[in-house]
Amino acid sequence: MSRVVREVPEFEAEVPLLVVGGGAAGLVAALAAREAGVEALVLERDPVPRGSTALSAGLVPAAGTRWQRAAGIEDSPALFAADILKKAHGEPDAAAVAAVTETVGPVLEWLAGRHGLPFSLIEDFRYPGHSALRMHGLPSRSGEELIDRLRAAAEAAGVDILPEAHVVALFADASDRVAGVEIARPDGSRERIGCGRLILACNGYGGHRDLVRRHVPDLAEGLYFGHPGNQGDAVLWGEALGAATRHLSGHQGHGSVAHPHGILITWAVIMEGGFQVNLEGRRFADETGGYSEAAAPVLAQPEGLAVCVFDARIAGIARQFEDFRRAEAAGAVPQADTPDALAGRLGLPVEAFMATFEAVEACKRRGDTDDFGRSFAGVPPLAPPYHAVRVTGALFHTQGGLVVDGRARVLRPDGSALPNLYAAGGAACGVSGSRASGYLSGNGLLTAVAYGALAGRAEP
Ligand SMILES: Cc1cc2nc3c(=O)[nH]c(=O)nc-3n(C[C@H](O)[C@H](O)[C@H](O)COP(=O)(O)OP(=O)(O)OC[C@H]3O[C@@H](n4cnc5c(N)ncnc54)[C@H](O)[C@@H]3O)c2cc1C
């Protein structure tokens, strides 16, 4: 249970900087601190740091990078910030959006140049809501590669990572200064470690069913696809210390997780010209709004399921993602030479499916906008062999959290900063506002990487 104890006990050890959580946010923070000459200790509850970062596609959006320049892409942090604010209906704090959009590009270049992370730009499709190609990923386009490379870089740089160290309590004095933490070890023993500064990088509350019920009720009974160890500790500790929280209903959902395989199917299958039907063979939404807001409509369909329909060309694009290749290997992506044979393979009512398929293709031929408001202008027709995958909707991670300033310091409701507490990644309030539809692709790793670097570098 996460708690704050109002006393300053004897500590077995003391370090200048403690980081709770060894996901992208925690490891980037620790690397940045090391670079500034600060000794950092990362406390991670799992035997090996993985977090939601390992479950992600590892794609980080950034504007004005050298990879974009090499590809002739014109972009800027200001344009990126405008896209974020537009997607989030103007809800996020503009100064916070400016801080992360200006920070993330140089941080990716630093991770590549100094720590050998070979980022490249995704050039063959644009994520919904981004007005430029700006998603950067590692060769396998997987979060596993991202976390493994960050861990290797942190270890090589001399960062200490203590695995199987579950932080269960914070100790704070009367001025809200955090003096240290208590960790629980797998054998049941407890240790107390003191700190000069504390960075909360233990993500949000997606793994805490009651907090999800309270803040994201639409997805509470659906699949949680993030890391189960993310139990809302940052928000619970922050609140106990008098910190401000914001946008706790904000989250990233996803409307395309292969069912029952539980493998993420990239939304590129939709954006490139595919569509979704329910088990009755009917469409139910404009799928191009974004994958995050698609989660609740998919879960609202019969059996909480839908089918993504696309073709071989689109599968070729999706295949750059390890997850998609895994889904194919697991037999989750049936193919057929005709749409009616595809419907048969998926157990969909053939007549209804054929009517839907023909309607979509007719819309494409005419360049029309359909009744859901989806524009098919310039969208190529599907061609055989046709592909499909049965999917469900899921909660990926929460986007609300502790309010931080441009240095990632945790703030009180009156705007003053807590003395030595910082938050990064899913522990901090993100830049997605209070609704699923406010999530712009990449907002998760954006605030993990950017706030991680800001928190790590921050002067005490
Ligand atoms: C399937 C999936 C796909 C995604 N794809 C993308 C994508 O392509 N691009 C993108 O930007 N975002 C994506 N996201 C979101 C992204 O993964 C997260 O926003 C990001 O990884 C958050 O990083 P983090 O470091 O804050 O948290 P995490 O990576 O979850 O790390 C938190 C760590 O803290 C540890 N921890 C928690 N509590 C404690 C405690 N009390 N004591 C010690 N340790 C603790 C956990 O074990 C964990 O290792 C995706 C998410 C999912 C689930």
Side-chain angles (χ1 to χ4, degrees):
M1 201 188 69
S2 48
R3 62 201 174 100
V4 171
V5 182
R6 291 288 182 172
E7 67 174 62
V8 179
E10 289 289 313
F11 292 109
E12 275 104 329
E14 302 229 12
V15 290
L17 175 63
L18 274 181
V19 180
V20 184
L27 293 177
V28 170
L31 272 169
R34 278 304 289 166
E35 177 113 334
V38 176
E39 191 191 332
L41 173 62
V42 178
L43 301 171
E44 167 54 52
R45 59 183 287 169
D46 290 346
V48 177
R50 299 185 54 71
S52 284
T53 302
L55 302 170
S56 78
L59 302 183
V60 191
T65 66
R66 65 174 166 85
W67 299 281
Q68 287 180 311
R69 282 195 296 280
I73 310 290
E74 288 208 12
D75 197 9
S76 67
L79 186 60
F80 184 13
D83 288 346
I84 289 175
L85 286 166
K86 184 173 173 204
K87 187 78 170 72
H89 325 286
E91 284 190 285
D93 174 37
V97 177
V100 294
T101 51
E102 282 162 19
T103 302
V104 68
V107 173
L108 289 192
E109 292 185 6
W110 163 71
L111 288 172
R114 181 67 60 92
H115 297 290
L117 274 71
F119 284 108
S120 61
L121 186 69
I122 300 226
E123 294 190 44
D124 48 4
F125 73 95
R126 194 175 327 152
Y127 280 82
H130 284 283
S131 54
L133 290 169
R134 58 167 79 103
M135 243 8 137
H136 299 70
L138 294 169
S140 69
R141 309 299 194 220
S142 79
E144 264 190 77
E145 182 175 6
L146 178 60
I147 198 75
D148 286 347
R149 284 187 186 267
L150 283 174
R151 191 186 71 243
E155 285 168 352
V159 169
D160 289 317
I161 301 173
L162 189 63
E164 301 190 316
H166 184 189
V167 179
V168 290
L170 307 191
F171 297 99
D173 67 16
S175 70
D176 304 324
R177 173 174 291 277
V178 179
V181 306
E182 182 168 73
I183 56 174
R185 309 288 271 164
D187 64 4
S189 63
R190 302 270 170 138
E191 289 165 34
R192 291 171 172 185
I193 306 173
C195 63
R197 290 203 295 136
L198 184 72
I199 298 177
L200 297 176
C202 43
N203 208 331
Y205 36 92
H208 191 303
R209 190 60 78 174
D210 285 344
L211 287 178
V212 174
R213 269 196 199 106
R214 190 180 318 155
H215 299 299
V216 195
D218 281 359
L219 302 189
E221 305 315 321
L223 179 68
Y224 169 55
F225 207 57
H227 185 64
N230 296 330
Q231 291 286 326
D233 293 333
V235 162
L236 296 171
W237 287 323
E239 282 177 338
L241 285 165
T245 58
R246 197 169 179 221
H247 292 158
L248 294 181
S249 54
H251 61 277
Q252 180 199 2
H254 207 293
S256 183
V257 175
H259 179 82
H261 310 80
I263 302 173
L264 171 62
I265 302 295
T266 170
W267 204 241
V269 302
I270 300 298
M271 296 308 291
E272 286 299 313
F275 60 91
Q276 281 190 325
V277 294
N278 62 18
L279 296 187
E280 294 163 351
R282 295 192 173 80
R283 286 182 58 231
F284 49 89
D286 168 10
E287 305 91 334
T288 57
Y291 54 68
S292 180
E293 52 268 60
V298 167
L299 284 169
Q301 300 310 303
E303 299 183 40
L305 296 175
V307 176
C308 296
V309 181
F310 49 103
D311 67 4
R313 175 187 65 83
I314 297 174
I317 294 171
R319 221 165 265 135
Q320 70 184 287
F321 292 97
E322 194 171 285
D323 279 336
F324 189 82
R325 298 194 297 270
R326 278 201 303 126
E328 286 193 311
V333 192
Q335 305 179 22
D337 287 333
T338 59
D340 52 338
L342 189 71
R345 292 207 57 189
L346 289 154
L348 296 173
V350 175
E351 209 173 304
F353 178 76
M354 286 306 293
T356 302
F357 187 94
E358 291 301 341
V360 169
E361 293 305 300
C363 256
K364 289 181 181 175
R365 284 193 295 276
R366 294 192 301 265
D368 268 0
T369 296
D370 68 10
D371 291 346
F372 298 107
R374 176 172 176 179
S375 166
F376 284 99
V379 179
L382 297 184
Y386 303 104
H387 290 53
V389 55
R390 189 181 277 239
V391 296
T392 188
L395 171 64
F396 274 19
H397 65 127
T398 49
Q399 277 282 288
L402 301 173
V403 177
V404 295
D405 67 8
R407 290 163 57 195
R409 296 182 304 173
V410 175
L411 302 179
R412 300 186 178 95
D414 67 4
S416 64
L418 285 154
N420 63 345
L421 187 67
Y422 297 71
C429 177
V431 289
S432 306
S434 60
R435 294 180 256 167
S437 60
Y439 185 86
L440 183 68
S441 307
N443 275 1
L445 284 169
L446 166 66
T447 54
V449 169
Y451 279 141
L454 290 167
R457 281 182 207 147
E459 296 295 319

